[in-house]
Amino acid sequence: MCLTTNQFPEQASDSTVVNKINQVLGREKERLYVGLYVRGSTPKMAGGEDEYHWAFLAGPKQHPKSGSRHIMYHAKEKLVKSGTPPQIRPEWQYVNDSNRAAMLLVRVLVGKIVDHERLERIFKAVPLRTEDANWNCVLWMEDAFRMMVQDGGAITTSVQDWASVRDKAMSYVEQKKAAHRFDGKDPSIVFDPAKPATWDMLTDTEMTP
């Protein structure tokens, strides 16, 4: 079956019909999440944010395995060889790759993606501050979020400030840790990487407990 708005000219202005056609074609707006991942190092930030690795995640809102169908956008520290004589040193790089679902702890939904190419251009333009020893993936996220909101054309969102996103993500992951969602101490909880705990900041409700 193939449906297009050209086949329904009189209804093309009807958002309900257009949205239904987009659903059939698989063109629904993807959601943009903030994801917190397992990170094996001691946090240095005052709020403990760097206990986790942070990334933006693009993925569907509703899918049986939506938690494992993401594209990650994040800053990642890698070892590179450079200089004369060549020396190995750490360098921050922007990375766009497939999701590491098994390491994902929680997601926080922050917007709906309306222009993927524009979003990726914004992420690629975020400065990488390798020369700053205290810079990290959390600070990259803060800069990227601010640039997204200021741009206004890549996502639609009612969330306007990074502090509220950061605070919600941190309180949410701590809540889930206290409830033993990740450590197996509560036998009634089965950890499923395909169904990460998810909070929707657009409606202020929990999507997946």
Side-chain angles (χ1 to χ4, degrees):
M1 177 173 59
C2 180
L3 299 176
T4 70
T5 52
N6 291 332
Q7 292 174 275
F8 302 90
E10 64 278 4
Q11 295 102 330
S13 61
D14 185 329
S15 61
T16 301
V17 174
V18 172
N19 287 339
K20 178 59 68 175
I21 293 171
N22 284 336
Q23 289 177 13
V24 174
L25 296 175
R27 294 175 182 166
E28 291 180 278
K29 290 178 184 175
E30 284 193 313
R31 270 44 177 181
L32 185 69
Y33 303 87
V34 168
L36 271 61
Y37 289 80
V38 174
R39 180 173 179 265
S41 61
T42 303
K44 298 178 181 178
M45 299 180 76
E49 298 97 317
D50 55 335
E51 179 179 349
Y52 310 99
H53 180 70
W54 294 57
F56 287 109
L57 308 174
K61 179 182 180 182
Q62 300 293 341
H63 190 282
K65 295 184 178 180
S66 65
S68 60
R69 292 178 178 262
H70 295 126
I71 297 296
M72 291 178 69
Y73 304 96
H74 56 132
K76 185 176 181 180
E77 195 173 34
K78 295 184 177 181
L79 294 177
V80 298
K81 184 182 290 187
S82 64
T84 305
Q87 293 183 332
I88 295 177
R89 62 180 181 84
E91 178 181 276
W92 284 97
Q93 298 178 0
Y94 164 68
V95 183
N96 170 351
D97 55 14
S98 58
N99 180 41
R100 294 172 291 180
M103 307 292 283
L104 178 60
L105 298 175
V106 300
R107 302 183 301 179
V108 175
L109 193 157
V110 296
K112 299 177 183 179
I113 300 172
V114 295
D115 190 331
H116 267 279
E117 292 184 0
R118 191 181 189 114
L119 183 64
E120 291 195 27
R121 286 198 300 270
I122 293 170
F123 288 152
K124 289 177 181 177
V126 178
L128 298 167
R129 309 185 192 281
T130 296
E131 70 284 353
D132 184 349
N134 295 316
W135 195 81
N136 57 30
C137 64
V138 184
L139 299 177
W140 181 89
M141 295 281 291
E142 180 177 0
D143 289 343
F145 187 82
R146 184 184 67 253
M147 290 171 65
M148 271 193 306
V149 171
Q150 290 176 348
D151 175 82
I155 67 169
T156 58
T157 181
S158 57
V159 185
Q160 297 297 311
D161 66 290
W162 170 251
S164 62
V165 175
R166 178 199 63 210
D167 293 348
K168 171 52 69 175
M170 287 297 293
S171 64
Y172 190 51
V173 74
E174 292 303 318
Q175 172 192 334
K176 293 304 177 182
K177 283 172 64 177
H180 302 292
R181 194 181 195 279
F182 315 120
D183 59 18
K185 292 182 179 180
D186 185 342
S188 67
I189 299 175
V190 178
F191 181 69
D192 183 353
K195 298 178 181 179
T198 305
W199 187 270
D200 185 342
M201 286 194 71
L202 306 184
T203 60
D204 199 28
T205 57
E206 188 170 46
M207 297 171 62
T208 306

